Amino acid sequence: MFEPAPRKRQKPLVNNLSTLFRKYPFWLSLLAGGLSATGFAPLGLWPISLLALALWMAIVDSLESRKAAFLSGWLFGLGHFVVGLNWIAKAFTFQAAMPEWLGYIAVVLLSLYLAVYPALTALGAWALGRGRPIVFVLAFAGFWIITEWLRSWVFSGFIWNPLGVIAVDEMHALSARSIGTYGLSGLVIGIAGLVGSAVGGMIALKWRIIVRRAFDLVIVALGVLALAVVGSGEDLPSSGKQPNITIVQPNIGQQDKWQAGYEEQNLAKLAGLTLRKDDAPRILFWPEAAIPDYLETGYPRRYYYGRPPEMIRAQLASLMKPEDVLVLGALKLEFDETGAPDDRRAIGARNSVFAMDADQNLLGRYDKSHLVPYGEYLPMRPLLSAIGLSRLAPGDFDFWPGPGPQSLDLGALGKAGLQVCYEIIFSGQVVDLKNRPDFIFNPSNDAWFGSWGPPQHLAQAQLRAIEEGLPVIRSTPTGISAVITSKGKVVESIPMGQAGRIDTKLPSAESPTIFARYGNVLPLGLALLLLICAIAIRLRAR
């Protein structure tokens, strides 16, 4: 990527950098990976991310073999994911009741796998564009889009912190309305590559390179602006409802959530924050798994633990006015249908969201579709239980997945799209296309995400709002609960570790964005275009 001057005109700094790249390419790749993750929340140091990406791309371009390029990408990915996903170590202590140091081992093991995707990007870009700056940058951006998309679904997918998230606040990410998050990630890579090439020109005092890269950056900036304009070209309010809403954050820690004897105390916290301030109809939003009780009737009596659903519904309805709707997280059980009704045995559960009116009627239910492996279900449970790993997903049975994105009809208050907890991170998979909602409700339990996880989760929810042109409402037990507009702006929020409520109007929805209509076909099409351009430029140069 760097284009050093002829040897006789090289400056000491150029020689020093060349020596560093030649002697320590892999250590520098690991360091660049760690620094690149500082652009994510809560640090938000996106200029450092761009420079780290530029450094890594320059290293890959300087390597002499495919094996070295792949290893450089893998080490970069290792540093990138270990730093960005450090919060998982804290989650491990809650889910598996294990020491935090063991959680960091889990972070490293996960990162060893996730690092394969940047490694594939580096290998592809090196093979196609090594020594040809523009070809290299185009190929790098195209391959990054493809591998990030692959990371969203291979082995059920884990796409936490796509690179485009660093652009949410600082660059406003409006281009995601047309090319989605993965396309935005490709633009970040492209900008980093051009910045690195320009910096290389300045180091070598080659003004021709500096001017050329500055011109390239202007073209990229104009392209991003055009994508943003195209993406927002139909920025018109939809006919969606704008009812009054109340979001509740009870500040119930994970250690207290499922403790026996805490049911009434926790319900009292939720109830106290839900008390009416006026008589206007409203939607009440409570977090994921807000209550441990079952709301559906018909289970064998022993599963209600002396708290029948009729009693629980009556308690909830007492907090509501006649036209209110309460949307809350609760569990649903699935039973073996053989035997007498009261002898049936629970064989599965669903992480669900229920809507209930003031007459205690259940208006609908959404079952979480994208479950967390080793958190909500244990792959190969008989085998892993036999070797003592059942603690990773405690219980006698697993959660079962729901059918996918659905919209719940809340009557006069509109339609709610539902995405439970980390489901919201999957770009292009959050809305029922045949029954478009007026907003997305993302109840979550971020109490076990440490200090880095919740702000990262919020940033990814902002991108879903931008992509879909829909407001996103978040309610969590300990934060960050928030109201996000259809342009991704957080207009109200409750910080981590505080109890509180938000009373406001639901932000308006917009007409479906281009991305909302066509989904990830668009970023994949962009990736294909970038790779075609890279190949065409390379062939023309020959």
Side-chain angles (χ1 to χ4, degrees):
M1 181 180 301
F2 288 108
E3 297 183 16
R7 184 177 298 275
K8 65 179 181 179
R9 297 178 59 193
Q10 282 185 333
K11 304 298 181 182
L13 181 57
V14 175
N15 287 326
N16 291 338
L17 284 175
S18 299
T19 301
L20 280 174
F21 282 14
R22 186 169 59 254
K23 286 188 173 182
Y24 310 108
F26 304 124
W27 286 112
L28 287 173
S29 296
L30 182 66
L31 174 63
L35 290 174
S36 69
T38 63
F40 299 122
L43 301 181
L45 303 176
W46 61 268
I48 292 180
S49 288
L50 289 178
L51 291 175
L53 288 164
L55 170 64
W56 171 50
M57 294 168 72
I59 291 170
V60 173
D61 193 40
S62 71
L63 296 173
E64 299 295 332
S65 70
R66 288 179 171 82
K67 181 179 179 180
F70 184 89
L71 181 57
S72 172
W74 187 74
L75 289 170
F76 172 90
L78 180 62
H80 180 81
F81 291 114
V82 166
V83 173
L85 301 177
N86 71 81
W87 57 269
I88 291 178
K90 188 68 173 179
F92 209 73
T93 65
F94 288 114
Q95 182 69 7
M98 295 180 180
E100 191 166 344
W101 64 264
L102 197 57
Y104 281 107
I105 293 177
V107 171
V108 172
L109 291 175
L110 175 62
S111 300
L112 290 174
Y113 156 65
L114 295 175
V116 169
Y117 296 98
L120 292 173
T121 295
L123 175 61
W126 186 94
L128 184 58
R130 177 176 178 259
R132 302 172 178 85
I134 292 299
V135 174
F136 185 78
V137 171
L138 291 173
F140 221 108
F143 282 120
W144 186 280
I145 293 171
I146 292 171
T147 57
E148 203 166 76
W149 171 75
L150 287 173
R151 183 160 67 92
S152 74
W153 62 268
V154 173
F155 299 128
S156 84
F158 187 73
I159 191 57
W160 194 276
N161 280 348
L163 191 58
V165 176
I166 71 171
V168 165
D169 292 324
E170 287 74 15
M171 303 176 195
H172 302 296
L174 285 181
S175 57
R177 299 160 72 87
S178 52
I179 58 172
T181 294
Y182 308 138
L184 182 60
S185 296
L187 289 179
V188 170
I189 286 287
I191 292 170
L194 294 176
V195 166
S197 186
V199 170
M202 286 188 283
I203 291 173
L205 295 179
K206 296 187 72 173
W207 292 103
R208 177 177 57 83
I209 297 175
I210 298 169
V211 172
R212 186 190 306 165
R213 297 302 169 257
F215 177 76
D216 291 337
L217 282 171
V218 170
I219 296 299
V220 170
L222 290 175
V224 171
L225 180 61
L227 288 169
V229 171
V230 169
S232 58
E234 297 182 65
D235 187 8
L236 301 173
S238 74
S239 58
K241 308 292 183 180
Q242 286 187 268
N244 296 294
I245 62 173
T246 294
I247 302 168
V248 173
Q249 180 172 300
N251 197 29
I252 298 172
Q254 189 66 18
Q255 68 278 7
D256 299 328
K257 190 170 183 62
W258 302 105
Q259 287 276 13
Y262 276 68
E263 298 90 351
E264 289 293 344
Q265 179 180 330
N266 291 342
L267 184 57
K269 287 183 180 180
L270 288 159
L273 290 166
T274 309
L275 294 176
R276 292 301 303 261
K277 293 188 175 181
D278 55 56
D279 291 330
R282 61 179 177 160
I283 309 174
L284 304 167
F285 294 105
W286 285 10
E288 176 188 10
I291 59 174
D293 304 284
Y294 303 117
L295 296 177
E296 293 184 318
T297 59
Y299 296 177
R301 283 171 293 182
R302 65 184 183 277
Y303 285 97
Y304 291 123
Y305 302 103
R307 296 167 59 84
E310 295 84 0
M311 181 186 81
I312 301 302
R313 288 197 212 175
Q315 286 180 301
L316 299 179
S318 69
L319 305 173
M320 304 165 64
K321 292 291 184 178
E323 297 180 2
D324 290 350
V325 171
L326 172 63
V327 186
L328 76 161
L331 302 183
K332 170 187 170 53
L333 294 180
E334 297 288 351
F335 290 90
D336 182 352
E337 295 300 327
T338 61
D342 264 355
D343 292 333
R344 291 178 302 156
R345 179 177 59 90
I347 57 175
R350 297 188 190 271
N351 188 351
S352 302
V353 178
F354 291 85
M356 193 189 87
D357 66 18
D359 294 324
Q360 305 181 33
N361 299 312
L362 297 181
L363 304 178
R365 188 190 80 241
Y366 168 79
D367 299 327
K368 184 178 181 181
S369 173
H370 214 127
L371 300 176
V372 183
Y374 305 102
E376 291 173 309
Y377 71 96
L378 188 65
M380 301 179 293
R381 176 175 281 275
L383 173 62
L384 296 182
S385 294
I387 60 176
L389 293 182
S390 60
R391 293 172 68 188
L392 294 171
D396 297 326
F397 47 75
D398 293 319
F399 281 94
W400 293 3
Q406 292 177 308
S407 298
L408 292 185
D409 188 350
L410 306 182
L413 298 177
K415 290 188 292 186
L418 277 302
Q419 289 290 290
V420 178
C421 197
Y422 104 129
E423 284 187 306
I424 198 71
I425 73 173
F426 292 92
S427 174
Q429 302 178 42
V430 299
V431 168
D432 183 351
L433 299 179
K434 297 180 179 179
N435 188 19
R436 181 175 167 85
D438 300 304
F439 65 94
I440 298 171
F441 178 41
N442 176 220
S444 187
N445 180 11
D446 294 359
W448 52 357
F449 285 13
S451 60
W452 282 40
Q456 291 177 1
H457 205 180
L458 175 66
Q460 291 170 94
Q462 289 176 257
L463 273 178
R464 297 298 84 72
I466 294 168
E467 288 175 336
E468 301 293 341
L470 292 172
V472 173
I473 306 301
R474 301 195 77 236
S475 176
T476 75
T478 58
I480 304 169
S481 300
V483 178
I484 306 170
T485 71
S486 58
K487 287 186 172 62
K489 182 180 180 181
V490 177
V491 290
E492 295 196 53
S493 64
I494 306 173
M496 290 188 292
Q498 295 184 19
R501 61 185 278 168
I502 296 173
D503 294 290
T504 188
K505 288 269 189 185
L506 180 71
S508 61
E510 299 172 7
S511 298
T513 64
I514 295 177
F515 180 84
R517 294 177 178 176
Y518 300 104
N520 284 316
V521 169
L522 297 171
L524 291 175
L526 174 62
L528 181 60
L529 178 62
L530 291 171
L531 293 175
I532 289 173
C533 289
I535 293 170
I537 294 171
R538 176 174 175 167
L539 291 176
R540 184 178 180 184
R542 284 184 175 178

